[in-house]
Amino acid sequence: MDIRVLRYFLTVAREESFSRAAETLFLSQPTLSRQIKDMEDELGVRLFTRTNRNVILTPEGQRLRKRAQEIVDLMEKTQAEFSSLEGEISGEIYIGCGETQIMREIARVMIPLQQEHSGIHFNLYSGNADDVADRLDKGLLDFGLLFEPYDIRKYDTLPLPFADTIGFLMQESHPLAQKQALRMEDVVGVPLIVPSQGQSVSSSASLMNLDFDPGCLNIVCHYNLLFNAAVMVEQGMGIALCLDHLADTTEHTGLTFRPLYPAALNRLRLAWKKYQIFSPAAELFLRRIRQQFEVPDRR
């Protein structure tokens, strides 16, 4: 299967039109249609369904779209790595992470590095821990920021000297806002908005590890982006289990954060595939991380 034809397929899927895709690719429509038909014959499946107004992906086409995008991304990443092997250090660095204020610390490494080497560019992928680990495994990311206690046995990791505080986001007028910190017993019966499984603060990674039965809680909503959860809190749906410093709690928002007691912290590790061969740019980034945070090299 030709990488060029995979790009053709992805363009048709994006444009939902052979004619628009052909214009974008500077091809004739018959040529593009023939290339896609040859791909369908090779795979033995139908990839598109034609309607009166456009073309849409079949279930098989949707499956291929995900794989095709991963293949194209990996090819482009590989080409960028080899193009950076000569002369000035340059290239793309791919980092995956969930929502965490610790990215401010990572930025203190990224910004001066990019200023010193203008040919280095960063690509940030935001997703939950499972998404980040999946892209690490497939070689689509150089590094992932993973929260403990995620299973990191198949990665090389570097513990970072930071931690996020777990607690609850709530309206300032909420009765629990009168407390400086909350025990889990305080939120029994209170409508809760909690992260989905795989998030940095998922119900399995925080509530259960706090030696508390989640079955006693009144969970009314799950979320994967705190911004949307904060809107639900603002509208009075409930209080949200989350990390501190991610939601806006300045005076005009009417929101506030209360930490859990005893203190519950999410600690972070920088992770990469075992036996990873880094590009010069990624190798330099890792070296700067060690220097910035004074973490020894124990690989």
Side-chain angles (χ1 to χ4, degrees):
M1 192 179 302
D2 196 311
I3 188 73
R4 173 177 52 87
V5 182
L6 286 178
R7 287 192 171 100
Y8 292 171
F9 164 75
L10 289 170
T11 303
V12 176
R14 184 183 68 244
E15 298 292 337
E16 297 185 342
S17 165
F18 276 89
S19 60
R20 289 196 297 271
E23 291 176 5
T24 300
L25 295 165
F26 301 102
L27 295 173
S28 69
Q29 185 171 334
T31 297
L32 179 59
S33 297
R34 184 170 63 254
Q35 294 281 358
I36 298 301
K37 180 64 167 60
D38 290 345
M39 176 184 283
E40 291 178 324
D41 291 343
E42 179 182 355
L43 295 173
V45 296
R46 190 176 180 183
L47 299 173
F48 292 99
T49 298
R50 288 170 171 79
T51 69
N52 291 333
R53 300 183 59 184
N54 56 8
V55 295
I56 59 176
L57 290 168
T58 63
E60 292 78 13
Q62 293 173 359
R63 189 175 301 114
L64 177 63
R65 183 180 193 173
K66 181 177 184 296
R67 296 301 182 199
Q69 190 63 62
E70 291 173 350
I71 292 169
V72 170
D73 288 347
L74 186 57
M75 177 66 73
E76 292 176 350
K77 181 174 181 292
T78 303
Q79 291 171 339
E81 287 176 358
F82 277 89
S83 68
S84 69
L85 292 178
E86 298 181 2
E88 166 67 13
I89 294 178
S90 62
E92 307 289 325
I93 300 176
Y94 295 80
I95 303 172
C97 59
E99 293 181 299
T100 170
Q101 56 96 17
I102 293 171
M103 280 304 296
R104 293 186 176 91
E105 304 297 332
I106 303 299
R108 293 190 175 100
V109 176
M110 296 167 60
I111 293 171
L113 182 60
Q114 202 280 325
Q115 290 172 340
E116 294 171 26
H117 303 277
S118 60
I120 290 179
H121 300 99
F122 290 93
N123 300 270
L124 297 180
Y125 173 80
S126 297
N128 65 33
D130 293 337
D131 294 334
V132 170
D134 181 60
R135 294 179 77 85
L136 270 178
D137 295 343
K138 292 174 178 174
L140 299 174
L141 296 174
D142 296 305
F143 304 100
L145 295 171
L146 299 177
F147 285 91
E148 299 175 354
Y150 198 85
D151 186 358
I152 56 174
R153 288 174 295 180
K154 61 182 177 179
Y155 305 109
D156 284 325
T157 66
L158 186 150
L160 299 178
F162 311 105
D164 281 306
T165 300
I166 301 174
F168 290 95
L169 182 71
M170 64 191 68
Q171 294 177 340
E172 289 182 334
S173 58
H174 196 283
L176 290 178
Q178 303 303 313
K179 294 177 175 286
Q180 293 303 307
L182 301 180
R183 296 179 180 273
M184 290 306 302
E185 291 82 359
D186 294 329
V187 301
V188 172
V190 176
L192 296 181
I193 302 167
V194 302
S196 305
Q197 295 292 327
Q199 296 299 113
S200 57
V201 193
S202 69
S203 56
S204 62
S206 56
L207 298 181
M208 293 176 72
N209 287 342
L210 291 169
D211 194 26
F212 192 87
D213 181 9
C216 299
L217 303 176
N218 179 21
I219 297 173
V220 297
C221 181
H222 289 83
Y223 72 88
N224 70 327
L225 291 174
L226 184 57
F227 178 86
N228 293 331
V231 172
M232 297 298 103
V233 173
E234 177 188 319
Q235 295 301 308
M237 175 179 280
I239 66 175
L241 176 71
C242 64
L243 301 179
D244 198 4
H245 301 299
L246 294 182
D248 184 0
T249 56
T250 52
E251 184 177 355
H252 72 280
T253 64
L255 300 179
T256 189
F257 178 87
R258 292 294 181 267
L260 275 168
Y261 181 84
L265 303 176
N266 262 13
R267 301 193 180 278
L268 191 71
R269 286 177 176 263
L270 185 71
W272 58 94
K273 289 177 66 174
K274 285 185 180 293
Y275 315 113
Q276 172 90 343
I277 299 176
F278 288 121
S279 68
E283 185 69 44
L284 180 57
F285 171 76
L286 180 57
R287 188 159 63 247
R288 291 292 179 85
I289 286 283
R290 293 186 188 279
Q291 293 170 352
Q292 177 79 7
F293 305 131
E294 299 181 349
V295 181
D297 188 346
R298 295 175 179 170
R299 286 185 296 169

